[in-house]
Amino acid sequence: MSVTAAILLAGLARPPAERETDTVSDLGGGQVAYPPSVLEERPPTRGGWAESKDRLRTATTTEPGRLWLIGAVVAPLVVAFGVMTSWQVADRAASADDVVRHSQPLSADAASIYRSLADADTAAAGGFLAGAQEPAEVHARYEKDIATASRLLVKAAANTDVSSDSGRQIARLNEQLPRYTGLIERARANNRQGLPLGGAYLRYANEQMTDELLPAAEKLYQAETARLGRDRSDARTWPFLALAVGVPALAVLVWAQLRDYRRTNRVFNRGLLAATAAAVVVLLWLVVGHAVARAELDSAHEHGQKSLKVLNEARISSLKARANENLTLVARGAVLTADGKDKYETDYAAGMKVLGERLEAAGKLADDGAGRGPVTEAVAKVKEWRERHGKARDTDDSGDYNGALKLVIGDKKSTGQSFDGVDAALERALAHEQREFTRAAEDGRGALTGLPAGAPALALLGAAAAGVGISRRLAEYR
């Protein structure tokens, strides 16, 4: 037997515990023996995350890997810019549309409700003064005012949440208006019979109008005007999130092209250039469009809404002053203030003071001849009204009631004619300012037209172009 064979047999003869081998379980549950050197040379197993990091680290050390990473950042960033722009501009466009279609018309309707109610009260007092046979035109004016107020209340209710402050005021008006008209009908019925009780019903109806209806209408107007202000503010807010994504996206695109130029000496990468152009267009469209929208909405507020508010207040003051002037003759000193003065004459004077102040403010806000002309005419008519009212009061105080009545509701040189002149001038001024507001607000809304749809479309094209540009560079390494 050779020496080598003897050594092998000696090794096999050793007990299993003394053999220099390691065992590993096989799939069948048995043991497979391997020399220690075999197991020591096997590399340790690593997790998937560690291997992914290694591959990423390896990719960033090669130019194809770096290009792939640039594409993976640029394309989603450009798409995110388009989506963010579309979302934020759509929100502001909706607010601008609300200004034009909802909040401003509702604010104007609320003012019309107030004017209609005040004018109905004025017409009712004027018809009562005319005697048992109320003039047909005065009665028709009253009926028209009540019908207008009722129609606008229905419209406002259809566009208002019942739980809101506006909804509560509308409900209050709908509840109180039938009571007021019922009192007016009782006043008319007693007046036709020549009963003094008619004057009491008329005064009670005026109190109902003054204490219940007009305050509710004023609160409705204030609530709708506040809603208009919120919509305008929402439409004016800059889309900061879109800008915060758009500026970095454009910066990354410019950097990618500069990097490409430094490494390849090629002036342009057409794909990246197209993506940059798309991003620039969206960014400029966003900034310029929103700036124009803000400017037009500000113009609508400064040159339209402010004037409308002052003119509405002026017209309401004139209506209340006219109603109090008529009631002065109806009550004939029966209703006094705490200091013993005629209540309705005192209220007339207060209303005329407010009217003068509002007309002065309206004149300052008017920015063109078409706006200043009616205001100037109204100021002249107010002066004439004051003079005629003074003559009527002097006539009444001298004991000539019929003469005073003629100076108040007569056909010629009466305070009624002056009031009608003021009301007509204010109506023309309001119509002009309403057109100014609507034009500017529509221009503001129009400045955002197309951007919510155009921004994501351009962004997708830009992302696709960036992908094509980078893929062509990658192809050069194959």
Side-chain angles (χ1 to χ4, degrees):
M1 179 183 299
S2 66
V3 176
T4 302
I7 294 173
L8 289 174
L9 289 174
L12 292 174
R14 293 172 57 192
E18 297 179 4
R19 294 177 186 172
E20 295 180 357
T21 61
D22 291 319
T23 59
V24 178
S25 299
D26 63 7
L27 294 177
Q31 300 293 321
V32 179
Y34 293 97
S37 59
V38 175
L39 294 179
E40 290 175 358
E41 292 175 0
R42 294 179 64 192
T45 302
R46 305 188 64 194
W49 173 245
E51 293 180 358
S52 298
K53 288 198 299 182
D54 286 344
R55 285 196 296 268
L56 181 62
R57 189 180 299 109
T58 302
T60 56
T61 61
T62 64
E63 183 60 18
R66 294 191 187 100
L67 288 174
W68 183 87
L69 286 176
I70 291 172
V73 171
V74 168
L77 195 58
V78 173
V79 172
F81 175 39
V83 172
M84 188 65 68
T85 298
S86 176
W87 169 56
Q88 291 211 291
V89 173
D91 182 67
R92 283 145 185 79
S95 296
D97 189 66
D98 284 340
V99 168
V100 176
R101 294 179 179 271
H102 299 290
S103 52
Q104 202 284 325
L106 286 174
S107 176
D109 286 347
S112 295
I113 290 171
Y114 197 119
R115 289 197 306 268
S116 297
L117 293 174
D119 191 58
D121 198 49
T122 300
F128 190 91
L129 282 176
Q133 296 299 323
E134 183 179 22
E137 63 274 11
V138 176
H139 183 74
R141 180 173 180 172
Y142 168 84
E143 294 291 340
K144 180 182 178 181
D145 287 333
I146 295 298
T148 299
S150 300
R151 176 178 56 81
L152 292 177
L153 283 172
V154 172
K155 179 182 176 183
N159 292 278
T160 305
D161 183 1
V162 294
S163 62
S164 65
D165 186 43
S166 294
R168 289 189 291 271
Q169 300 309 322
I170 291 171
R172 181 182 174 190
L173 287 166
N174 283 325
E175 179 183 355
Q176 297 296 331
L177 186 56
R179 296 179 182 178
Y180 170 80
T181 55
L183 290 171
I184 291 297
E185 292 306 318
R186 290 185 182 184
R188 284 173 175 164
N190 283 275
N191 193 38
R192 283 193 293 267
Q193 298 176 37
L195 299 176
L197 191 59
Y201 275 118
L202 183 65
R203 292 194 300 271
Y204 187 36
N206 175 260
E207 290 177 4
Q208 187 82 3
M209 177 66 72
T210 304
D211 298 339
E212 297 290 339
L213 288 165
L214 291 183
E218 184 177 6
K219 290 181 180 179
L220 175 62
Y221 174 69
Q222 291 172 350
E224 294 301 334
T225 301
R227 178 180 174 182
L228 170 61
R230 290 192 297 271
D231 287 340
R232 186 181 70 88
S233 178
D234 291 343
R236 292 181 70 259
T237 303
W238 277 102
F240 291 110
L241 290 177
L243 293 173
V245 177
V247 173
L250 184 60
V252 170
L253 282 167
V254 172
W255 170 81
Q257 291 183 87
L258 291 174
R259 179 184 181 280
D260 189 63
Y261 169 72
R262 293 192 187 101
R263 289 180 175 272
T264 65
N265 289 327
R266 292 172 179 167
V267 179
F268 296 120
N269 180 310
R270 293 179 181 178
L272 291 176
L273 183 63
T276 304
V280 168
V281 170
V282 174
L283 189 61
L284 288 177
W285 193 357
L286 173 63
V287 172
V288 174
H290 197 270
V292 172
R294 282 173 59 94
E296 291 296 340
L297 289 171
D298 287 344
S299 177
H301 177 70
E302 293 295 326
H303 304 297
Q305 184 59 30
K306 281 187 175 181
S307 294
L308 286 170
K309 183 176 184 296
V310 171
L311 289 169
N312 278 321
E313 291 172 352
R315 196 176 186 191
I316 289 167
S317 297
S318 71
L319 289 166
K320 293 167 75 173
R322 177 59 179 172
N324 286 313
E325 183 179 46
N326 290 337
L327 287 167
T328 301
L329 293 176
V330 173
R332 304 183 72 172
V335 183
L336 303 177
T337 61
D339 56 357
K341 295 181 180 180
D342 187 297
K343 177 184 182 303
Y344 296 116
E345 179 63 20
T346 301
D347 290 344
Y348 161 82
M352 293 298 285
K353 181 181 178 181
V354 174
L355 173 59
E357 292 172 351
R358 295 299 180 266
L359 286 176
E360 182 180 358
K364 293 178 180 179
L365 289 172
D367 56 353
D368 57 12
R372 284 189 294 269
V375 175
T376 302
E377 182 181 345
V379 171
K381 288 294 182 181
V382 167
K383 181 180 179 181
E384 178 185 84
W385 185 1
R386 290 179 185 273
E387 294 173 353
R388 292 178 177 180
H389 178 80
K391 293 178 181 179
R393 293 310 311 144
D394 290 340
T395 302
D396 188 32
D397 291 340
S398 66
D400 186 2
Y401 176 81
N402 291 328
L405 188 62
K406 184 177 180 180
L407 289 173
V408 172
I409 63 172
D411 295 333
K412 295 180 180 179
K413 296 183 178 181
S414 67
T415 60
Q417 285 185 319
S418 300
F419 162 75
D420 289 340
V422 172
D423 194 63
L426 289 175
E427 186 174 7
R428 291 198 302 274
L430 282 164
H432 171 73
E433 297 300 336
Q434 182 64 55
R435 289 192 296 270
E436 290 287 299
F437 176 90
T438 302
R439 178 196 58 76
E442 287 181 346
D443 288 345
R445 179 184 61 179
L448 300 176
T449 301
L451 187 52
L458 285 172
L460 288 173
L461 290 175
V468 170
I470 291 175
S471 65
R472 289 185 177 180
R473 287 288 179 269
L474 286 172
E476 295 173 359
Y477 291 90
R478 295 175 182 172

